[in-house]
Amino acid sequence: MASVVLGVGGGIAAYKACELLRLFTESGHDVTVVPTEAALQFVGGATWSALSGKPVHTGVWDDVHEVPHVRIGQSADLVVVAPATADLMARAAHGLADDLLTNTLLTARCPVVLAPAMHTEMWEHPATTANVATLRERGTLVIEPAEGRLTGADTGKGRLPEPDEIFETCLEVLARGALRPDLVGRHVVVSAGGTREPLDPVRYLGNRSSGRQGYALARAAVARGAEVTLVSANVELPDPAGVKVVRVETTGQLRDAVVGAAAAADAVVMAAAPADFRPVAVSEAKIKKAGDGSAPAIELEQNPDVLAEISHDRPRPGAVVVGFAAETGDDTGSVLDLARAKLARKGCDLLVVNDVSGGAVFGSADNQAVILGADGAEVDVPRGSKTALAHVVWDEVLRRFGG
């Protein structure tokens, strides 16, 4: 397992880092906690020592014969700071080394992840914006803070993402082992889940999509440094750390959200499963059973084809568009035959093809796919985690950026 340094900044969210520490240690990682002096005002050193099983220091003069200000960073496989305060990021951006944590950040030759937490005004201040840009330019992964309740009665952007989602992002970073995130400066849009078209106040037309693949794509993009907008259709999964989540229900709402976000996007990945049809009329009251046992006739109309629209009329020139195709094959052709025809019809750059015969893929933690390219490329992705497939998709998107 990995050697992880958990830095803790002096913010009220420091208590949440205890849960992050527990997630690392219980999964077998060796964790060294390096708090700032201010962090110890919120969570005492005894707590960090008890949870990590190691002594905790803040200054460079403790155990000086072991040269901790150099050794800790040099030996780490990952450094994660949660919470990262505005002050701490400012010191890191300017290369200051006035305590053990900032020394560790300077000497680390491994991936560094910062999870900011502060009031909205502090996050949006031009000084913080500039410091974050500097850190990202140097290869530090700075996760976007979440929106929600802050200290006191305040709400807004600046909340520390949930510890389990920070942990998932860190696992992604450790798994890739790349020092520099390769999607830094890119804005990507991902859709996930299945849309629902109401029949009456309690019933709807929908599908079996769980949203897991779309969420895996969003997490993977964050771990690679991208700014991510996730359009989520009826998904019951926690928000990935660092992701802007836009919730929708119907295909029409999904279309509006995707087209709006795509105007500023370098890539759009349509992993959602939009309903192809919707009722022409929606009953204002619950449709009752007929006494004679007959069923009501429901007239359907076609929904907009979101993938075809953004492929043929791209809101941003040069953007890479990726579609997903859940196929079963039929009398007219095999799964790949139908997928190749769909790729040509939709006009996207890449099409991720799933064979869903017998309900495969839906709700599963694993996936298996073939990625078809409009340029004739064909990448076979063997069965593995949906996270693994997500990274292959982003690898292919990056190749299209280069082209």
Side-chain angles (χ1 to χ4, degrees), residues 77 110 117 139 147 223 246 249 255 266 268 279 301 319 335 380 383:
D77 298 307
C110 61
E147 295 187 19
V246 180
E249 181 177 0
R255 180 262 171 204
D266 298 292
V268 180
E301 61 184 351
V335 166
D380 189 11
R383 178 160 295 280

Side-chain angles (χ1 to χ4, degrees), residues 203-289:
R203 301 183 181 92
Y204 59 84
L205 294 176
N207 57 67
R208 297 177 60 191
S209 177
S210 67
R212 293 182 182 276
Q213 185 62 70
Y215 273 56
L217 282 155
R219 286 192 184 93
V222 168
R224 296 172 76 148
E227 176 188 351
V228 183
T229 299
L230 175 62
V231 181
S232 176
N234 308 295
V235 177
E236 296 182 359
L237 295 171
D239 291 352
V243 171
K244 178 183 178 182
V245 180
V246 180
R247 290 179 174 79
V248 298
E249 181 177 0
T250 67
T251 298
Q253 293 169 353
L254 179 123
R255 180 262 171 204
D256 292 345
V258 169
V259 170
D266 298 292
V268 180
V269 181
M270 291 292 298
D276 292 327
F277 305 98
R278 64 174 180 253
V280 172
V282 179
S283 175
E284 294 184 0
K286 180 181 177 181
I287 301 171
K288 304 297 191 296
K289 291 181 180 179

Side-chain angles (χ1 to χ4, degrees), residues 14 20 154 173 233 254 276 305 332 337 402:
L20 183 57
D154 293 343
V173 173
L254 179 123
D276 292 327
D305 190 326
T332 65
D337 291 335

Side-chain angles (χ1 to χ4, degrees), residues 23-377:
L23 291 168
F24 274 116
T25 56
E26 289 190 355
S27 58
H29 298 286
D30 178 59
V31 185
T32 300
V33 181
V34 183
T36 63
E37 283 287 349
L40 296 182
Q41 297 294 317
F42 296 95
V43 180
T47 299
W48 300 121
S49 294
L51 292 175
S52 67
K54 294 182 178 182
V56 168
H57 304 298
T58 62
V60 297
W61 304 111
D62 297 303
D63 295 329
V64 69
H65 63 288
E66 297 181 358
V67 200
H69 71 291
V70 173
R71 178 184 53 79
I72 293 174
Q74 286 179 332
S75 61
D77 298 307
L78 173 74
V79 176
V80 53
V81 181
T85 62
D87 174 74
L88 180 56
M89 289 195 297
R91 288 189 285 143
H94 288 83
L96 300 183
D98 53 358
D99 64 6
L100 188 56
L101 180 52
T102 50
N103 272 270
T104 298
L105 291 172
L106 276 179
T107 57
R109 294 298 180 264
C110 61
V112 176
V113 178
L114 303 183
M118 64 198 71
H119 269 68
T120 306
E121 294 83 359
M122 299 174 73
W123 173 252
E124 295 176 348
H125 193 281
T128 304
T129 300
N131 290 332
V132 169
T134 296
L135 290 164
R136 285 173 171 165
E137 187 177 297
R138 292 175 183 161
T140 299
L141 177 58
V142 183
I143 301 173
E144 288 286 312
E147 295 187 19
R149 184 71 176 268
L150 305 173
T151 305
D154 293 343
T155 60
K157 188 168 185 177
R159 180 182 174 89
L160 186 74
E162 292 305 310
D164 55 343
E165 288 301 321
I166 297 174
F167 177 66
E168 290 295 329
T169 298
C170 290
L171 292 185
E172 296 258 6
V173 173
L174 280 168
R176 292 194 71 242
L179 279 176
R180 188 174 184 87
D182 52 12
L183 286 175
V184 171
R186 301 289 189 177
H187 176 209
V188 303
V189 176
V190 178
S191 69
T195 62
R196 297 173 179 176
E197 305 297 336
L199 292 167
D200 62 22
V202 298
R203 301 183 181 92
Y204 59 84
L205 294 176
N207 57 67
R208 297 177 60 191
S209 177
S210 67
R212 293 182 182 276
Q213 185 62 70
Y215 273 56
L217 282 155
R219 286 192 184 93
V222 168
R224 296 172 76 148
E227 176 188 351
V228 183
T229 299
L230 175 62
V231 181
S232 176
N234 308 295
V235 177
E236 296 182 359
L237 295 171
D239 291 352
V243 171
K244 178 183 178 182
V245 180
V246 180
R247 290 179 174 79
V248 298
E249 181 177 0
T250 67
T251 298
Q253 293 169 353
L254 179 123
R255 180 262 171 204
D256 292 345
V258 169
V259 170
D266 298 292
V268 180
V269 181
M270 291 292 298
D276 292 327
F277 305 98
R278 64 174 180 253
V280 172
V282 179
S283 175
E284 294 184 0
K286 180 181 177 181
I287 301 171
K288 304 297 191 296
K289 291 181 180 179
D292 60 2
S294 62
I298 299 173
E299 184 180 0
L300 301 176
E301 61 184 351
Q302 191 164 306
N303 266 321
D305 190 326
V306 187
L307 177 59
E309 178 180 351
I310 62 174
S311 296
H312 291 287
D313 186 18
R314 305 198 180 197
R316 183 172 183 177
V320 177
V321 178
V322 182
F324 272 67
E327 294 289 354
T328 59
D330 57 26
D331 294 340
T332 65
S334 68
V335 166
L336 286 182
D337 291 335
L338 296 173
R340 291 188 184 98
K342 179 174 284 188
L343 174 64
R345 187 170 66 252
K346 300 288 188 180
C348 51
D349 300 291
L350 295 164
L351 190 69
V352 183
V353 185
N354 292 131
D355 184 343
V356 295
S357 303
V361 176
F362 293 117
S364 171
D366 295 332
N367 205 344
Q368 180 178 352
V370 176
I371 303 176
L372 301 178
D375 55 5

